[in-house]
Amino acid sequence: MELKRLKVNIKKLNPDAVIPSYGSEFAAGADLYACVENEITVLPHETVLIPTGFAIEIPIGLAGFIYARSGLATKKGLAPANKVGVVDCDYRGEVKVALHNHSNAPQTVASGERVAQMVIAPYLPCEFIESEELSETVRGTGGFGSTGTK
């Protein structure tokens, strides 16, 4: 089975930047690599912007969603501070990862280290229309935890 690949333009802003790559043939997320001059230490409960050294031209109608790498999150406690970063299709600046240290120990990030993963996915732009009434549903206004009770 062959997977068709969308062509996405990447511009290296730093000659040491590593182009995003997939860890396996059918991986959804492309690994993002730190592009730093010296190792960066992320103190416990601190957030640091990690540069990737590249800019990207995401096609219209798509966005880049930046997620944690499970290994980095479970082994070092490092994950995106905003849980999911969003790279809009009209953004042409350097892609950076706001990496947060959830652990109680300082963690280091070296150049070339995989720090997050990016999934390119479609989104639906909406026109929000103010309304006096909304349609009825079984759930209604039941909020947090309202569907998880036994």
Side-chain angles (χ1 to χ4, degrees):
M1 181 173 166
E2 189 176 327
L3 188 62
K4 184 178 178 183
R5 303 252 175 211
L6 178 70
K7 298 198 182 319
V8 177
N9 292 330
I10 297 275
K11 179 181 179 182
K12 279 191 174 187
L13 304 173
N14 183 315
D16 296 328
V18 178
I19 299 296
S21 65
Y22 294 95
S24 69
E25 182 180 5
F26 297 110
D31 291 328
L32 300 180
Y33 299 82
C35 185
V36 295
E37 194 170 313
N38 300 305
E39 277 190 351
I40 292 178
T41 298
V42 187
L43 298 175
H45 313 291
E46 178 184 48
T47 299
V48 175
L49 277 179
I50 305 294
T52 63
F54 73 86
I56 189 168
E57 184 179 341
I58 298 173
I60 293 172
L62 304 176
F65 298 95
I66 299 176
Y67 297 98
R69 292 193 68 256
S70 58
L72 193 65
T74 57
K75 294 175 184 168
K76 291 178 123 181
L78 296 174
N82 50 348
K83 306 306 177 208
V84 178
V86 178
V87 181
D88 295 313
C89 65
D90 59 348
Y91 176 66
R92 294 295 184 270
E94 181 175 15
V95 174
K96 296 181 182 182
V97 177
L99 207 56
H100 184 79
N101 182 354
H102 294 274
S103 80
N104 291 320
Q107 302 294 338
T108 58
V109 175
S111 199
E113 185 173 351
R114 296 175 296 170
V115 292
Q117 59 182 322
M118 182 170 57
V119 175
I120 304 291
Y123 65 91
L124 296 173
C126 299
E127 179 181 350
F128 296 98
I129 301 167
E130 185 176 355
S131 177
E132 294 295 323
E133 296 293 325
L134 302 176
S135 64
E136 296 289 326
T137 67
V138 172
R139 181 177 181 174
T141 59
F144 294 104
S146 66
T147 62
T149 58
K150 291 184 180 181

